[in-house]
Amino acid sequence: MLRGIPSEALLDSSISTGYGSIPGPRVVGVDFSAVHDIKGSSKSFQKHETRHVSEHKNVARCARFSPDGKFFATGSADTSIKLFEISKIKQMMLSDSRDATMRAVIRTFYDHLQPVNDLDFHPQNTILISGAKDHTIKFFDFSKTVAKRAFRVIQDTHNVRSVSFHPSGEFLLAGTDHPIAHLYDVNTFQCYLSANVQEIGANVAINQVRYSSTGGMYVTASKDGAIRLWDGVTSNCVRSILGAHGTAEATSANFTKDQRYVLSCGKDSIVKLWEVGSGRLVKQYLGAAHMMLRCQAVFNATEEFVLSIDEPSNEIVIWDALTTEKVARWPSNHIGSPRWLEHSPIEAVFVTCGTDSREYVLVRRGRGRPDKGNKRAKRV
């Protein structure tokens, strides 16, 4: 299954060499080994500046950061993909909002026929992939300034709901309307399916699939409310947490950096932390209602905080990851509920996408604070 040629074969000689060195997290992630509820004071989540950076022509459905945190991309129901550069957004926050020459969007891609569901960046090279309702996974080279369309396409058999690159860059996973994740060799496009799936029923679509930091495991969050852990080499299902979110859909699942825990979100309006080794529920984060949209819960870059969305109030809710105490509720500034929330892997920056077609970027104060006269930037 793990055969293949080096991922460089994916790229032609005209493509740039990649991101360069990727910095590690600023602080070591939180140790969740103290599984019992911890009493005591919670940390404060520092104030951020927020900026409306762009909007699609229809619902902004998804967002993803590059591994080095320098870029993020958004996908929309209007079938387009926009690529943003964080340094330009920080410059916008420092400059006069009337400066029309500065644009946060550096690329726009048009190649899908139906809404874009998910995105991911190649771990080493300037390649962005997208999964969409048109049953395709498309590869875009964002080092080329004039490229608007994909240079490679995988044709799947189902609606592609989620995509995730293996850390080697040689393989990718597609979560689709099919109950089993589709594993693709990115050089040959050959597709592999796990044979160890007897316990999974039919018609159980995968809302999200994500690799762990080393690729040793991957996790799926499914419409049947289950979280499933899979061996990254054999693709065998090694643990099923059935009813992880009751009868409600499990909408997202992500590993902690040390691969010991999985953070999941569901339409039961509960964010949950699971221990990978035992499948035990470790912590619950309450107080954010999400029952309609396929939203997600994420850690900040240091894993000290958990962030999610409250649909009724259109707010961003932040918890102390260790104590589970709710430490902040911030207005999202969206007209209608934010649909997606994604945090930078390396610094205090995150982005929200909404049903109002807009994208907002939030940057910690002191890192690109706007001038007093910049009325388009707001503090939350």
Side-chain angles (χ1 to χ4, degrees):
M1 181 172 295
L2 292 184
R3 68 185 181 184
I5 56 179
S7 57
E8 298 84 79
L10 169 67
L11 310 174
D12 63 42
S13 58
S14 63
I15 295 177
S16 68
T17 55
Y19 306 108
S21 61
I22 297 174
R26 292 179 291 111
V27 181
V28 175
V30 175
D31 180 8
F32 294 103
S33 58
V35 296
H36 301 293
D37 290 337
I38 295 177
K39 305 299 180 183
S41 59
S42 297
K43 299 181 181 71
S44 296
F45 194 70
Q46 290 185 282
K47 299 294 185 181
H48 285 52
E49 311 286 356
T50 182
R51 180 76 180 231
H52 170 215
V53 293
S54 184
E55 55 190 86
H56 287 274
K57 295 178 181 178
N58 206 325
V59 175
R61 295 172 57 85
C62 57
R64 203 73 176 269
F65 278 88
S66 62
D68 61 0
K70 293 180 179 179
F71 305 94
F72 73 88
T74 60
S76 172
D78 68 8
T79 73
S80 73
I81 298 164
K82 292 187 177 186
L83 181 72
F84 300 79
E85 190 170 359
I86 290 295
S87 63
K88 290 185 179 294
I89 293 171
K90 291 180 179 179
Q91 283 181 284
M92 290 169 61
M93 287 182 161
L94 287 166
S95 68
D96 191 320
S97 62
R98 292 171 294 181
D99 183 1
T101 63
M102 191 170 296
R103 297 179 66 251
V105 180
I106 61 171
R107 304 280 189 279
T108 303
F109 301 109
Y110 307 92
D111 207 19
H112 282 290
L113 301 177
Q114 293 188 46
V116 179
N117 290 321
D118 199 12
L119 303 159
D120 199 12
F121 286 83
H122 191 279
Q124 292 93 30
N125 295 295
T126 52
I127 302 299
L128 174 68
I129 59 169
S130 56
K133 284 189 173 183
D134 58 13
H135 300 192
T136 65
I137 302 166
K138 301 206 172 187
F139 292 66
F140 300 91
D141 172 15
F142 61 90
S143 70
K144 298 181 184 299
T145 58
V146 297
K148 300 291 185 183
R149 300 193 178 277
F151 71 93
R152 297 190 77 178
V153 179
I154 293 176
Q155 183 68 54
D156 200 277
T157 53
H158 295 75
N159 168 25
V160 182
R161 293 171 166 266
S162 184
V163 287
S164 181
F165 262 120
H166 187 276
S168 70
E170 295 186 17
F171 302 90
L172 67 85
L173 284 168
T176 73
D177 284 347
H178 188 259
I180 310 305
H182 297 178
L183 174 66
Y184 284 98
D185 182 314
V186 300
N187 299 291
T188 66
F189 285 6
Q190 188 164 356
C191 182
Y192 302 89
L193 295 179
S194 172
N196 179 25
V197 294
Q198 296 88 344
E199 76 279 11
I200 301 178
N203 302 318
V204 181
I206 295 173
N207 281 322
Q208 193 168 87
V209 58
R210 292 291 185 262
Y211 268 112
S212 65
S213 58
T214 65
M217 292 180 288
Y218 60 91
V219 61
T220 55
S222 301
K223 293 193 69 151
D224 63 353
I227 303 296
R228 294 180 174 90
L229 299 168
W230 306 76
D231 185 290
V233 176
T234 66
S235 288
N236 288 334
C237 183
V238 295
R239 186 175 304 282
S240 293
I241 306 174
L242 302 176
H245 289 274
T247 57
E249 293 183 32
T251 53
S252 75
N254 288 279
F255 286 95
T256 53
K257 292 182 176 71
D258 62 9
Q259 306 179 90
R260 295 174 62 189
Y261 303 93
V262 164
L263 184 73
S264 71
C265 181
K267 289 187 177 180
D268 59 351
S269 298
I270 304 177
V271 178
K272 299 182 179 183
L273 187 73
W274 305 89
E275 188 175 52
V276 169
S278 65
R280 177 173 47 170
L281 177 63
V282 176
K283 295 182 184 296
Q284 296 188 95
Y285 305 91
L286 307 173
H290 28 77
M291 296 173 286
M292 301 298 294
L293 300 174
R294 188 169 57 94
C295 72
Q296 60 178 11
V298 297
F299 282 107
N300 73 325
T302 62
E303 297 185 341
E304 295 174 282
F305 298 95
V306 172
L307 297 81
S308 194
I309 292 163
D310 183 64
E311 288 178 1
S313 65
N314 298 346
E315 290 179 320
I316 300 162
V317 181
I318 300 111
W319 297 268
D320 183 295
L322 205 56
T323 68
T324 73
E325 181 183 353
K326 192 164 35 179
V327 296
R329 293 181 71 98
W330 291 351
S332 69
N333 297 322
H334 285 279
I335 303 168
S337 297
R339 183 183 175 90
W340 197 278
L341 174 71
E342 193 79 14
H343 201 287
S344 167
I346 59 104
E347 62 176 331
V349 176
F350 64 96
V351 60
T352 60
C353 297
T355 53
D356 58 359
S357 309
R358 296 184 172 190
E359 298 99 352
Y360 285 90
V361 171
L362 292 92
V363 180
R364 191 178 70 188
R365 285 187 188 175
R367 298 198 173 205
R369 188 179 343 192
D371 297 332
K372 291 182 180 179
N374 187 347
K375 296 180 180 179
R376 291 187 66 191
K378 302 177 182 179
R379 293 181 180 179
V380 294

